[in-house]
């Protein structure tokens, strides 16, 4: 189709600008049903467009915005009316404004609406960036009364043995969205596709669109646009010149086509065209103009709130399988990790720990005293996670079911009875997460006096919350099941799991006073899930292909704002050989969420069972994770403020390096560390591309590599390829402990990786790791600057002199820097002068071939200080 094929045009005289909203009425000339279009301008440069019937036959579901947007959309900052200017001429209406103050760039933004055909184009510095309906694919199925001769499939649809009654009839809509000049598009997780989204039209394309519909998928296929466990309808488009994004805010089943547009003799990229279709709801799309990647991440973060700081223990190693057999097994695994000097923070219990899959209960024969078990774990700083799934066993003798049933908290079937299906316990009902009474009730179940056998060191895993219904269509809930407010499941499906996740998170937060940060892992997710805890990529398989696929899957989630994410280390299904499991740990330590997990039918695979040399290699990898916890926690702080990914595709840090735009094997951890994992069996070498005109350092040997450079590295099983970017400072803690909790007062080491000009910078962030006191200033955040052979520590701009900050600084006053390692200096030094407050002293410096080390400068993380090499 071409743009002339569109049947939609703006009704003459309907266009007007009122404060921050451009309104118009659009009609399909064939049906004459007027559609209300509202284009809203935010101060950040983001533009929102909403479309629905001007006078709908019945309300459309429009609460997705309340579940996704910051403060339910109430805190969006709109552009001032006086900053917007509308110019209308010959059926073209252009609104211009300067969003540069908010987005931190010098770009100017404008939006152009044409009447016939109806289109919308976002322009950055006068050039088209994002184009809506310029191909004329917009269609909107208005709500209508059922005709006597309704076409088959429009008002009732069969899928295998299931019938979808579709009582509202057809109500879908779709629109083409083009990214002018873009070379690649990213995001819209969750799929097992490459990071740079493969086309669904044209040469070498998938044979179907990307599907966004949360499903429990058994042994999912790789390199496939099929739906998986989560859905985030956020897409970013990138070229060497600009980055832009689109958030398609809809919780119903959604399909996205991608087509690369090429032109000219050499078929260069002229842009990427996409086509979005949703089954129900309101057309609600946000255009994020960038023009740089960091701008897009900030704009999205402003809309939805970025990932908050997690509990610090959650960044440690999580040991899990379906299932540890009993309390003796749990404590035995913990002791095994101690014996083999492998640090860990959390051990997990899957569904078999319960009494017959009745959540919030324990199998009394296997776990006779769960509180004592948790107290034993807690002595070494360890926590326990138990699984709580959304299906509730249909059993009148089960107190949880009978109470929820008496209160009427379950989802309804289309006939008004409680929806019933099969899951792990057999006959089950599902809590209606759209009923505020149900989510409040769920949160209350986590109270220490309600969840028998729980303590404050117990945290939660929400699995199966797509929702998974074993005897349902596609192993999920019938689309015509009915939720609170009379809404069909089809309209809310993709947000269902997030609301269960939220209720659990709220419940854990409420069980203590003052509230502490919760930890909840969820399998299903949507835009906004990052606010409530971690997610993982679902039921992967113990193969090298799945190991490789985990990298683009984790990166795609990070690009889409789901930062606290990981893949099951070792693969959930199947039995990895010792080489594969070792390589998976060596990669897995870089996942933001780091958990080993396995299916009940797999062989036990705790690291010591592999024997040597695998045990040593795995232990070395996990210890590397713990050494770098200060860097990772500081990185989470940055993400919580800016929305920047934790794990970053190479193009995010090097946006003009076109050869890296599709790179999804190597990646950045923050801005300072590049990882090139080994993901093939019996690998003898790995190719590494060092981008930009910078120097890079092997983080193990400190050997330097001057970029731009491509090099092949020989590797053995012990080798991992991890490089520090010149100009970075990386904080670590070097003392070996059994858990992160036992590291809280340990001193720090600073690794200074000098740039070509001999300078470097970084940050160190510290808070109590568990409370919300940091929101009131109870934290230490230091800017670390190295220049002219001098390392300085200064308070960040966010540090104030509040009483809370002073009290926390006093509590941490004894924590010091015990070592500074400066890598890449062009000369050697023998001494350093340390200045801290009014005190000045001299310390020895030892220099080798690649670095200079200052041992115990004895400066404190709370103070201003300088160390001058001489």
């Amino acid at each position: 189709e071409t743009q002339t094929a569109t049947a939609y045009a703006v009704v003459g005289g309907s266009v007007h600008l009122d404060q921050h909203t451009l309104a118009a009425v659009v009609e399909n000339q064939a049906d004459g049903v007027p559609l209300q279009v509202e284009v809203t301008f935010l101060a950040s440069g983001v533009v929102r467009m909403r479309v629905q019937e001007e006078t709908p036959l019945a309300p459309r579901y429009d609460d997705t915005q309340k579940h996704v947007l910051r403060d339910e959309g109430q805190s969006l900052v709109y552009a001032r009316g006086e900053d917007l200017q509308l110019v209308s001429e010959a059926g073209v209406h252009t609104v211009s404004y300067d969003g540069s103050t908010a987005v931190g760039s010098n770009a100017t933004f404008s939006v152009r609406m044409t009447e016939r055909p109806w289109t919308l184009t976002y322009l950055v510095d006068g050039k088209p960036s994002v184009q809506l309906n310029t191909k004329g694919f917009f269609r909107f199925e208005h709500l209508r009364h059922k005709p006597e001769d309704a076409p088959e499939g429009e008002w009732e649809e069969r899928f295998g043995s299931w019938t979808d009654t579709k009582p509202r009839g057809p109500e879908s809509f779709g629109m083409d969205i083009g990214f002018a000049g873009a070379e690649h598009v990213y995001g819209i997780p969750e799929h097992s596709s490459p990071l740079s989204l493969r086309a669904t039209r044209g040469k070498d394309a998938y044979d179907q669109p990307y599907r966004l519909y949360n499903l429990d998928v058994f042994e999912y296929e790789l390199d496939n646009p099929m739906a998986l466990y989560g859905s985030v309808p956020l897409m970013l488009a990138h070229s060497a010149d600009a980055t832009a994004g689109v958030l398609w805010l809809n919780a119903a089943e959604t399909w996205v086509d991608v087509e690369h547009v090429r032109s000219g003799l050499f078929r260069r990229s002229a842009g990427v065209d996409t086509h979005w279709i949703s089954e129900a709801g309101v057309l609600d799309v946000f255009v994020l103009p960038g023009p740089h990647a960091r701008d897009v991440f900030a704009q999205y973060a402003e809309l939805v709130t970025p990932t908050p700081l997690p509990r610090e223990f959650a960044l440690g190693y999580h040991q899990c399988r379906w299932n540890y057999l009993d309390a003796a097994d749990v404590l035995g695994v913990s002791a095994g990790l101690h014996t083999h000097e492998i640090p860990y923070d959390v051990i997990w219990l899957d569904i078999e720990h319960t009494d017959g899959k009745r959540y919030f209960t324990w199998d009394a024969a296997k776990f006779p005293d769960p509180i004592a078990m948790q107290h034993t774990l807690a002595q070494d700083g360890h926590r326990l996670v138990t699984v709580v799934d959304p299906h509730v066993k249909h059993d009148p003798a089960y107190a949880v079911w009978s109470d929820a049933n008496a209160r009427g908290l379950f989802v309804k079937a289309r006939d008004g009875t409680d929806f019933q299906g099969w899951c792990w316990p057999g006959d089950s009902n599902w809590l209606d997460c759209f009923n505020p009474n149900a989510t409040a009730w769920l949160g209350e179940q986590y109270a220490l006096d309600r969840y028998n056998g729980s303590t404050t060191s117990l945290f939660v895993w929400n699995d199966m919350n797509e929702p998974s219904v074993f005897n349902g269509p596609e192993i999920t809930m019938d689309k015509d099941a009915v939720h609170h407010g009379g809404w069909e499941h089809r309209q809310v499906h993709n947000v269902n799991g997030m609301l269960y996740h939220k209720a659990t998170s709220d419940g854990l937060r409420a069980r203590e006073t003052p509230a502490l940060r919760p930890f909840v892992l969820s399998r299903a997710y949507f835009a906004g899930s990052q606010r409530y805890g971690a997610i993982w990529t679902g039921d992967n398989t113990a193969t090298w292909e799945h190991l490789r696929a985990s990298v683009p899957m984790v990166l795609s989630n990070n690009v889409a704002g789901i930062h606290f994410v990981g893949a099951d280390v070792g693969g959930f299904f199947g039995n990895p050989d010792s080489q594969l499991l070792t390589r998976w740990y060596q990669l897995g330590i870089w996942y933001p969420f780091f958990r080993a997990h396995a299916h009940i039918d797999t062989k036990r695979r705790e690291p010591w069972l592999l024997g040597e040399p695998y045990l040593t290699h795995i232990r070395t990898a996990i210890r590397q994770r713990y050494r770098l916890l200060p860097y990772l926690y500081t990185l989470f702080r940055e993400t919580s403020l800016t929305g920047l990914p934790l794990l970053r595709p190479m193009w995010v840090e090097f946006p003009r390096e076109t050869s890296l735009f599709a790179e999804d094997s190597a990646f950045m951890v923050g801005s300072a560390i590049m990882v090139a994992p080994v993901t093939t069996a019996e690998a003898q070498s790995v190719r590494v591309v060092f981008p930009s005109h910078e120097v890079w350092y092997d983080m193990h040997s400190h050997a330097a590599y001057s970029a731009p450079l491509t090099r092949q590295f020989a590797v053995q099983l012990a080798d991992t390829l991890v490089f520090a970017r010149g100009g970075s400072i990386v904080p670590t803690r070097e003392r070996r402990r059994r858990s992160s909790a036992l590291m809280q007062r340990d001193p720090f080491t600073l690794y200074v990786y000098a740039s070509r000009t001999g300078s470097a910078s970084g940050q160190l962030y510290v808070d109590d790791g568990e409370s919300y006191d940091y929101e009131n200033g109870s934290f230490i955040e230091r800017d670390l600057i190295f220049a002219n052979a001098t390392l300085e520590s200064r308070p960040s701009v966010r540090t104030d002199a509040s009483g809370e900050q002073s009290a926390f600084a006093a509590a941490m006053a004894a924590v010091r820097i015990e070592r500074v390692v400066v890598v890449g200096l062009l000369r050697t030094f023998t001494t350093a002068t340390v200045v801290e407050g009014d005190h000045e002293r001299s310390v020895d410096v030892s220099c080798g071939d690649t670095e200079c080390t200052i041992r115990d400068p004895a400066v404190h993380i709370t103070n201003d200080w300088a160390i001058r090499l001489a």
Side-chain angles (χ1 to χ4, degrees), residues 44 224 557-558 575 607 654 805 821 856:
S44 63
N224 194 303
N557 274 291
N558 265 262
N575 296 301
F654 305 98
Q805 198 281 330
V821 181
D856 202 13

Side-chain angles (χ1 to χ4, degrees), residues 629-770:
L629 286 180
Y631 175 73
L632 296 175
Y633 196 63
T634 299
L635 188 55
F636 261 96
R637 166 68 166 180
E638 179 187 40
T639 295
S640 73
L641 297 170
T642 66
L644 280 168
L646 295 161
L647 254 62
R648 299 175 188 172
M650 297 299 294
W651 68 264
V652 171
E653 285 296 315
F654 305 98
R656 299 189 67 83
E657 299 263 355
T658 57
S659 63
L660 299 177
F661 290 176
E663 172 63 48
D664 58 9
S665 54
F667 54 88
M668 297 293 295
V669 184
S671 62
I673 296 174
M674 178 175 68
V675 179
V678 182
T679 58
T680 56
E682 307 297 341
Q684 301 298 310
S685 65
V686 173
R687 177 177 174 269
V688 178
V689 177
F690 296 99
S692 191
H693 293 274
E694 300 184 14
V695 60
W696 295 81
Y697 301 93
D698 185 309
M699 289 189 72
H700 306 301
S701 69
H702 292 163
Y705 302 94
S706 293
L709 173 69
T710 299
R711 174 166 174 162
Q712 204 79 16
F713 285 84
V715 292
Q716 297 181 342
L717 189 58
D719 298 326
T720 57
L721 301 176
V722 183
F723 303 93
R725 185 179 184 178
S728 304
I729 298 177
V730 177
T732 69
R733 274 176 160 150
E734 301 291 331
R735 301 190 180 185
R736 294 173 182 171
R737 306 292 188 187
R738 288 182 169 181
S739 68
S740 65
L742 303 182
M743 301 168 66
Q744 293 302 304
R745 293 294 187 271
D746 282 355
F748 292 88
T749 293
L750 301 179
Y751 285 86
V752 180
Y753 297 98
S755 69
R756 285 180 169 174
T757 60
S759 61
S761 62
Q763 274 200 330
L764 173 64
Y765 176 82
V766 179
D767 61 25
D768 64 21
E770 62 179 15

Side-chain angles (χ1 to χ4, degrees), residues 789 825-831 845-852 869-870:
L825 294 176
L826 299 180
R827 53 166 291 196
T828 60
F829 300 86
T830 58
T831 62
V845 177
S846 60
C847 292
D849 293 337
T850 58
E851 75 268 349
C852 292
L869 294 168

